């Protein structure tokens, strides 16, 4: 009997699906990329990178609720990886959850104080939160 059968994790297949997803993402085929990253997650739901990448796809498709779910899962799986906070914060920002987004970016900045994406994200949140005139 093959030990892989019935096993939840197949890292080789997951890596293959991830590679296809990355290629699709680079070509801006976001919907196709989502399918590949979802397949990767089916093969290995413990890899935070798959959720990060799929979150980026969903954000590019403007599906921010899904982007947030994946961003949150990424942070949960790998709390010490700053990039996950960028994904989660971005989704919260677009969902206009500015307080949540600010907290997320600050948590990321504790891990990576010099991270440009996190700093920029936090700046955008603060601008949006306090710029009441710009919403007309």
């Amino acid at each position: 009997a093959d030990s892989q059968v019935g096993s939840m994790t197949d890292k080789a297949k997951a890596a293959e699906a991830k590679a296809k997803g990355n290629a699709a993402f680079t070509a801006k085929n976001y919907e196709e990329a989502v399918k590949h990253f979802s397949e990767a997650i089916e093969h290995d739901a413990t890899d935070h990178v798959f959720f990060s990448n799929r979150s980026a796809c969903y954000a590019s498709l403007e599906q921010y609720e899904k982007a947030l779910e994946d961003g949150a899962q990424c942070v949960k799986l790998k709390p010490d990886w700053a990039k996950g906070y960028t994904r989660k914060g971005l989704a919260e920002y677009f969902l206009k959850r500015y307080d949540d987004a600010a907290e997320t970016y600050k948590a990321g900045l504790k891990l990576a104080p010099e991270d440009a994406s996190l700093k920029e994200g936090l700046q955008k949140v603060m601008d949006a939160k306090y710029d009441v005139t710009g919403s007309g």
Side-chain angles (χ1 to χ4, degrees), residues 2-136:
D2 186 349
S3 62
Q4 276 296 349
V5 176
S7 149
M8 292 307 292
T9 308
D10 185 337
K11 292 198 186 282
K13 279 186 180 159
E16 201 180 310
K18 177 193 170 187
K20 286 180 186 169
N22 286 343
F25 184 81
T26 304
K28 295 187 164 59
N29 297 332
Y30 301 121
E31 280 167 9
E32 189 192 325
V34 164
K35 284 178 196 157
H36 292 306
F37 291 131
S38 298
E39 189 193 329
I41 288 165
E42 275 172 33
H43 291 306
D44 182 5
T46 65
D47 194 322
H48 61 285
V49 175
F50 302 159
F51 289 98
S52 170
N53 291 4
R54 194 172 67 174
S55 178
C57 293
Y58 282 135
S60 298
L61 292 165
E62 295 181 18
Q63 296 179 16
Y64 299 116
E65 292 283 352
K66 286 179 175 177
L68 176 55
E69 274 175 35
D70 279 354
Q73 183 63 20
C74 177
V75 167
K76 200 168 122 185
L77 286 169
K78 190 87 171 145
D80 59 347
W81 192 58
K83 194 171 188 177
Y85 295 88
T86 312
R87 301 287 189 225
K88 184 169 178 264
L90 181 79
E92 288 164 340
Y93 168 76
F94 279 110
L95 291 166
K96 295 188 167 54
R97 298 183 193 173
Y98 298 134
D99 291 335
D100 291 345
E103 288 304 309
T104 298
Y105 282 126
K106 283 175 189 167
L109 283 164
K110 278 184 191 153
L111 298 166
E114 297 306 312
D115 189 290
S117 304
L118 289 167
K119 281 194 207 171
E120 193 182 307
L122 184 57
Q123 188 60 55
K124 273 166 92 171
V125 170
M126 289 307 171
D127 289 349
K129 202 174 153 179
Y130 298 112
D131 177 23
V132 271
T133 54
S135 59

